[in-house]
Amino acid sequence: MLLNTLLPNTLIVLLTVVGMELFAAFAHRYIMHGFGWGWHRSHHEPRQHWFELNDLYAVVFAAIAIVLIALGTAGAWPLQWVGAGMTAYGALYFIVHDGLVHKRWPFRYIPRRGYLNRLYTAHRIHHAIKGREHGLSFGFLYAPPVARLKSELRDHQASLREDAARDRHAAASGDDGENATPPPRR
C-alpha cells in the first residue's frame, strides 16, 4: 500500500517542482518584467532594507501553496502534493536565488564551476541589463549556457551603443527625429 501512494505522490511533487520552474521563468519574463514591474523593480535596484517589495511574489506563491495543502489534506487528494512541490520549489529558490546569488543570508560562497556557477553567472547577467526590457535568462533553477548569454549581452550592449551614437548624431545635426528611420525593435 505504501508504494501505491508514495510513488505517485513523489512523482507529483517532482513534476510540480519542474512545472514551477517553467511557470516561474514565464512569470519572471512576462509578469515581473511586464505589468508586475512595480513590485519587481525593487529587486533590480540596490537593496535599502532586508525586505524588498519583490518579496511579495514569494508571499503570494506561499499562500497558494498553503491553500493547496489545506485543500489536499481536507480530501482533495493530489492538491497537498502539488502544494508540497510548490513549497519545495520555494525552498530551492530561497537557497539558490536569495542565498547563493543575492547573498541575502550569510552564505558567501561563489561557485567557480559546474551547475551552480552556471546559475550564478546567468542571474548576474540577467541583472547586468538595467530596466525591465531586453532581459536575459529568466529561469531560477535552469540557466541557458553562459557562453550564449554572454554573447547575447554583448549584442545588447552593442545595440545600446549604436542607439546612443545615432541619438548623439541626430542631436548634433539638429534633427528632431521626425524624418529619421526608427531604430529596429529588438
Side-chain angles (χ1 to χ4, degrees):
M1 184 67 171
L2 180 64
L3 194 58
N4 289 342
T5 57
L6 182 64
L7 188 59
N9 294 342
T10 302
L11 189 60
I12 290 169
V13 170
L14 293 175
L15 288 174
T16 301
V17 170
V18 171
M20 282 302 299
E21 175 62 7
L22 297 172
F23 173 77
F26 174 86
H28 188 192
R29 178 182 299 248
Y30 297 107
I31 296 172
M32 295 174 186
H33 281 255
F35 66 86
W37 180 249
W39 285 4
H40 190 62
R41 177 188 296 121
S42 66
H43 183 64
H44 285 267
E45 297 172 345
R47 193 173 45 241
Q48 304 297 321
H49 308 286
W50 201 87
F51 287 104
E52 50 191 47
L53 197 55
N54 182 68
D55 294 332
L56 290 175
Y57 284 112
V59 172
V60 168
F61 292 129
I64 293 169
I66 289 167
V67 168
L68 290 173
I69 291 169
L71 290 171
T73 56
W77 165 67
L79 295 184
Q80 73 266 32
W81 302 109
V82 172
M86 289 179 69
T87 303
Y89 182 84
L92 292 168
Y93 172 90
F94 176 73
I95 292 166
V96 172
H97 179 265
D98 287 353
L100 178 69
V101 176
H102 290 291
K103 312 289 188 256
R104 289 184 71 181
W105 39 281
F107 186 86
R108 299 288 181 231
Y109 172 71
I110 297 177
R112 300 291 177 211
R113 58 179 136 47
Y115 167 74
L116 291 179
N117 174 264
R118 184 171 165 167
L119 284 181
Y120 179 84
T121 303
H123 202 72
R124 302 311 298 167
I125 289 171
H126 173 77
H127 281 271
I129 295 177
K130 303 303 177 201
R132 73 187 222 179
E133 296 180 9
H134 309 294
L136 299 170
S137 187
F138 290 93
F140 295 110
L141 299 179
Y142 167 78
V146 171
R148 187 178 102 204
L149 290 173
K150 287 182 177 180
S151 173
E152 290 176 13
L153 180 61
R154 279 190 300 275
D155 292 347
H156 174 71
Q157 290 168 333
S159 163
L160 290 177
R161 285 191 296 275
E162 290 170 11
D163 290 348
R166 188 176 20 259
D167 292 346
R168 282 192 304 274
H169 177 70
S173 67
D175 184 0
D176 63 3
E178 280 193 32
N179 297 323
T181 303
R185 290 190 55 97
R186 299 191 197 290

